[in-house]
Amino acid sequence: MNLSFLFLLLSIPVVLAYFFGLYILGSLGQVVGYYLRRASRTRKELLLARVQTEQRAYASTHPKRAPANDEDGWEEVEGYAAGTAANGAKAGEDWKGIIGFFHPFCNAGGGGERVLWAAIRANQKRWPDAVCVVYTGDHDVDKAAILKRVENRFNIHLHPPTVHFLYLSTRRYVLSSTWPHFTLLGQSLGSLILAYDAFSLLVPDIFIDTMGYAFALALSSFLFPAVPTGAYVHYPTISTDMLASLSPNGQGVNAGAGVGWKGFAKRHYWSLFARLYCLVGSTVDVVMTNSTWTQSHIRSLWGPRRARRLRSAKASETDIDVVFPPVAVEELTDAIDVSPESESKRGPTIIYIAQFRPEKNHTLIIEAFAKLVAQHNAFPSFPNTPPKLVLVGSVRDSDDATRVYNLRLLAHERKIKEKVEFVCDASWPQILYWLQCASVGVNGMWNEHFGIGVVEYQAAGLISVVNDSGGPKLDIVVEIDGEPTGNMQPMNHQVFEVPSFHASTVEEYASAFANALSLSSAETSAMRLRARKSALRFTDRGFAEKWVKNMERMVQLQELRTRKPGGFLTMIEI
Ligand SMILES: *[C@@H]1O[C@H](CO)[C@@H](O)[C@H](O)[C@H]1NC(C)=O
Ligand SMILES: *[C@@H]1O[C@H](CO)[C@@H](O)[C@H](O)[C@H]1NC(C)=O
Ligand SMILES: *[C@@H]1O[C@H](CO)[C@@H](O)[C@H](O)[C@H]1NC(C)=O
């Protein structure tokens, strides 16, 4: 008998033990899940009863009125969200489960919170009978206060009876101050504790994380395999850039930190963490990202394992969806007219809306403008008006003021002083005025993750000239590079085919300005309309439609998994 046969014989029990171990572990998770579910059952019943009572109370104090005078806009609801369900099965039309949102800092009032509230509103409109529960650590505020703030801060009106808050008591474990060393790992472990805290309060039917706690989602899948999970990722917890930056010739804050034994340890710690993060990410059922940049990073981290899990390479390419966060585009489209008539109001004006911060590179823009003026006195479409540059921005402190002073000096040196206008700390009506009179909007920053200002230019119908990098390149001023996301609207393809409007250097900016100002009036109008159409991808409505589409996948999964019990113990669980 040869050795390899013996080896084979011996390895069989090892392999069996491995799978048995996995099985035991998986079952253990489900047993714990079962007890958590049982322990929180009473709370769940109480919650649902409370929803019923509040619904009745709401209905009696808010009799159905005509949509026009309904101040919270609740009745106009169904309209758009319901439309997206039409393309397919009627599944989940009147789904009434509990959707848990894991958002420990829900009262922070930042961009991430805007996404949370807009998502809850979209859910409420699509599934009026479902209940949205937010797990939060903000003990100092009650529901009324939170909803009031959401209205004031974001102008988002939620339907109070079907949104509820559950208060977590272990939020300190996700603060970076709790983990002075090994912060990444510490915070991730902390999020496991926090998630366990959440589940002991209530086990939802669908579990969604909007703050980047992927580990919490993995715990959910471990404990409750039947509960679909969803992630809305703003930023990857660890990025491939970070890993690369440790190499001796890397760039960024950690440049060169990869040398010596400390660097060695750090490199291994990070790559271990990255591996864990990839593992965790592969368990999430539905993944959305806020931008193409984040999508490509998440795809390179989570994609390979997800593909293996979903048993298809194609699935991994299509299943990570970009859902742009909502921007207040409508305020501009309502206020600013884009039509042949409105052209008479516009001059050869280039506008740059940006804080006077160094990375916004105002110097570059002024230099480029000086070059433009040196080469062109006037443009055929604007025979009697010389070009003008308007810099609109807030001046926050004396550093900003100094920068403005230096920029004025520069304009003076280049002999374009009277052609450059500074509008410091502009009011909203002033900004609207300039957006109406200008023809071109510019952004000089390199690798901006997202330029809300550029979306505003587009909404106002301006022709954008942006640096050839970052969010403006990937998401805003161009189609999404033909990536097979399968959910691109056709209009994405027609936005800005003219490549010269992306620029990097002074010369390129100058010639992009010249090109933009020399377009024929027909081309100009067409481009303005396309710009405006492109901006519509970033509206509340655009967000809600894509969000609901991804939610529908989770609802379908939920129905599928509870209908066909799959694993050990799921029979008793239901
Ligand atoms: C996505 O989130 C990151 C982190 O908050 C932010 O820097 C970036 O601007 C966001 N992108 C978009 C398109 O809002
Ligand atoms: C613009 O982007 C390019 C490449 O993406 C970069 O190399 C260049 O430095 C950027 N220009 C400015 C002015 O930041
Ligand atoms: C501004 O743009 C110029 C030209 O591309 C570039 O060399 C410079 O580094 C930029 N400055 C900043 C602060 O980004």
Side-chain angles (χ1 to χ4, degrees):
M1 206 161 34
N2 63 29
L3 215 63
S4 61
F5 182 72
L6 197 71
F7 183 72
L8 199 73
L9 210 64
L10 278 178
S11 66
I12 289 173
V14 174
V15 169
L16 279 182
Y18 174 74
F19 281 108
F20 189 67
L22 280 187
Y23 178 76
I24 292 289
L25 198 68
S27 307
L28 189 73
Q30 293 187 38
V31 171
V32 174
Y34 169 72
Y35 279 103
L36 278 174
R37 203 183 272 276
R38 236 182 53 167
S40 64
R41 197 160 50 194
T42 322
R43 188 178 281 106
K44 183 169 179 175
E45 279 157 12
L46 283 176
L47 179 83
L48 292 177
R50 202 163 113 208
V51 170
Q52 291 291 324
T53 327
E54 286 189 22
Q55 284 278 36
R56 271 196 298 275
Y58 187 87
S60 65
T61 52
H62 297 70
K64 273 198 191 279
R65 281 163 294 177
N69 55 17
D70 177 19
E71 87 272 29
D72 66 5
W74 180 247
E75 314 299 337
E76 64 184 74
V77 198
E78 271 84 4
Y80 70 82
T84 59
N87 59 352
K90 288 260 174 204
E93 196 84 323
D94 46 8
W95 186 79
K96 32 165 97 70
I98 297 180
I99 307 169
F101 284 88
F102 193 65
H103 204 108
F105 300 85
C106 80
N107 206 31
E113 285 66 47
R114 194 188 167 95
V115 168
L116 170 73
W117 306 120
I120 292 180
R121 186 175 57 176
N123 284 351
Q124 290 187 329
K125 289 177 177 180
R126 173 65 180 79
W127 292 282
D129 294 326
V131 180
C132 292
V133 165
V134 182
Y135 299 100
T136 174
D138 293 306
H139 284 269
D140 48 336
V141 279
D142 63 358
K143 174 167 155 178
I146 296 178
L147 294 187
K148 182 116 212 92
R149 189 167 145 89
V150 173
E151 277 177 26
N152 294 338
R153 174 80 178 71
F154 299 116
N155 194 26
I156 291 179
H157 301 268
L158 299 172
H159 181 56
T162 55
V163 54
H164 286 273
F165 297 89
L166 292 174
Y167 293 91
L168 304 165
S169 50
T170 51
R171 190 171 76 180
R172 64 181 176 280
Y173 291 112
V174 295
L175 299 177
S176 53
S177 53
T178 309
W179 310 93
H181 307 291
F182 299 105
T183 313
L184 281 180
L185 197 59
Q187 283 183 302
S188 301
L189 291 178
S191 71
L192 290 178
I193 300 174
L194 201 57
Y196 187 85
D197 186 0
F199 298 137
S200 61
L201 291 172
L202 179 82
V203 180
D205 296 311
I206 291 178
F207 189 56
I208 297 174
D209 157 65
T210 40
M211 279 197 78
Y213 295 117
F215 285 75
L217 296 177
L219 182 67
S220 169
S221 300
F222 178 63
L223 299 176
F224 319 105
V227 174
T229 53
Y232 186 91
V233 187
H234 291 269
Y235 203 79
T237 305
I238 189 159
S239 68
T240 32
D241 294 359
M242 249 168 104
L243 291 172
S245 75
L246 277 185
S247 72
N249 45 11
Q251 299 170 338
V253 271
N254 295 296
V259 293
W261 71 269
K262 266 193 169 164
F264 178 82
K266 188 157 198 157
R267 213 168 34 236
H268 281 267
Y269 161 55
W270 275 10
S271 71
L272 175 78
F273 182 81
R275 233 179 287 163
L276 264 178
Y277 187 61
C278 297
L279 187 69
V280 157
S282 70
T283 68
V284 184
D285 289 306
V286 173
V287 182
M288 293 166 260
T289 62
N290 78 345
S291 61
T292 309
W293 185 88
T294 307
Q295 183 201 37
S296 66
H297 280 257
I298 286 293
R299 205 177 255 171
S300 72
L301 289 163
W302 293 359
R305 267 181 182 278
R306 289 178 69 78
R308 246 175 288 155
R309 195 175 76 96
L310 303 170
R311 290 204 191 76
S312 131
K314 211 161 166 51
S316 80
E317 278 174 6
T318 52
D319 82 340
I320 297 176
D321 197 5
V322 178
V323 180
F324 293 120
V327 177
V329 166
E330 284 99 334
E331 284 178 35
L332 285 162
T333 53
D334 289 350
I336 297 176
D337 186 26
V338 175
S339 67
E341 296 78 60
S342 68
E343 280 308 297
S344 59
K345 285 193 211 154
R346 298 194 192 255
T349 301
I350 298 162
I351 181 174
Y352 188 14
I353 305 181
Q355 287 177 340
F356 290 100
R357 283 190 283 139
E359 66 272 24
K360 297 290 182 184
N361 217 336
H362 286 83
T363 319
L364 166 75
I365 301 304
I366 292 179
E367 297 281 8
F369 181 71
K371 198 158 216 110
L372 173 81
V373 195
Q375 290 162 354
H376 306 264
N377 280 325
F379 291 92
S381 314
F382 313 95
N384 303 317
T385 347
K388 185 181 178 78
L389 175 66
V390 180
L391 303 171
V392 180
S394 53
V395 176
R396 297 158 305 165
D397 50 25
S398 60
D399 285 352
D400 284 3
T402 316
R403 264 191 290 280
V404 171
Y405 178 78
N406 288 332
L407 291 172
R408 280 185 201 275
L409 274 185
L410 179 68
H412 189 77
E413 271 170 34
R414 296 287 176 270
K415 307 207 169 42
I416 47 171
K417 191 167 64 123
E418 56 300 329
K419 297 196 174 84
V420 180
E421 180 156 344
F422 288 81
V423 186
C424 297
D425 296 316
S427 64
W428 181 242
Q430 269 180 306
I431 294 178
L432 279 181
Y433 168 78
W434 283 112
L435 285 172
Q436 245 155 4
C437 311
S439 220
V440 173
V442 63
N443 186 346
M445 187 171 163
W446 175 63
N447 244 341
E448 176 125 78
H449 279 159
F450 188 63
I452 287 185
V454 180
V455 174
E456 290 173 345
Y457 296 156
Q458 292 196 331
L462 299 186
I463 297 168
S464 307
V465 174
V466 298
N467 179 272
D468 202 3
S469 66
K473 174 185 175 151
L474 286 171
D475 287 333
I476 309 175
V477 188
V478 87
E479 55 167 289
I480 302 165
D481 269 348
E483 291 195 18
T485 45
N487 44 41
M488 275 192 306
Q489 277 118 41
M491 64 186 184
N492 292 2
H493 289 291
Q494 346 156 343
V495 186
F496 294 108
E497 305 95 339
V498 190
S500 58
F501 296 163
H502 285 294
S504 294
T505 60
V506 171
E507 289 71 28
E508 285 171 16
Y509 270 101
S511 72
F513 291 157
N515 288 347
L517 291 174
S518 342
L519 292 175
S520 73
S521 64
E523 282 172 315
T524 306
S525 305
M527 195 166 252
R528 292 204 197 294
L529 290 174
R530 283 206 300 270
R532 171 157 281 187
K533 210 167 168 187
S534 157
L536 294 183
R537 291 176 297 155
F538 303 94
T539 55
D540 282 328
R541 171 177 293 231
F543 171 82
E545 283 173 1
K546 290 204 80 181
W547 174 270
V548 162
K549 212 178 79 211
N550 282 284
M551 265 317 289
E552 278 169 354
R553 283 167 57 201
M554 288 185 247
V555 168
Q556 276 168 5
L557 272 178
Q558 201 270 340
E559 290 183 326
L560 204 72
R561 288 180 188 173
T562 45
R563 210 183 303 138
K564 282 193 295 186
F568 181 65
L569 271 184
T570 25
M571 305 277 282
I572 355 175
E573 234 178 275
I574 305 161

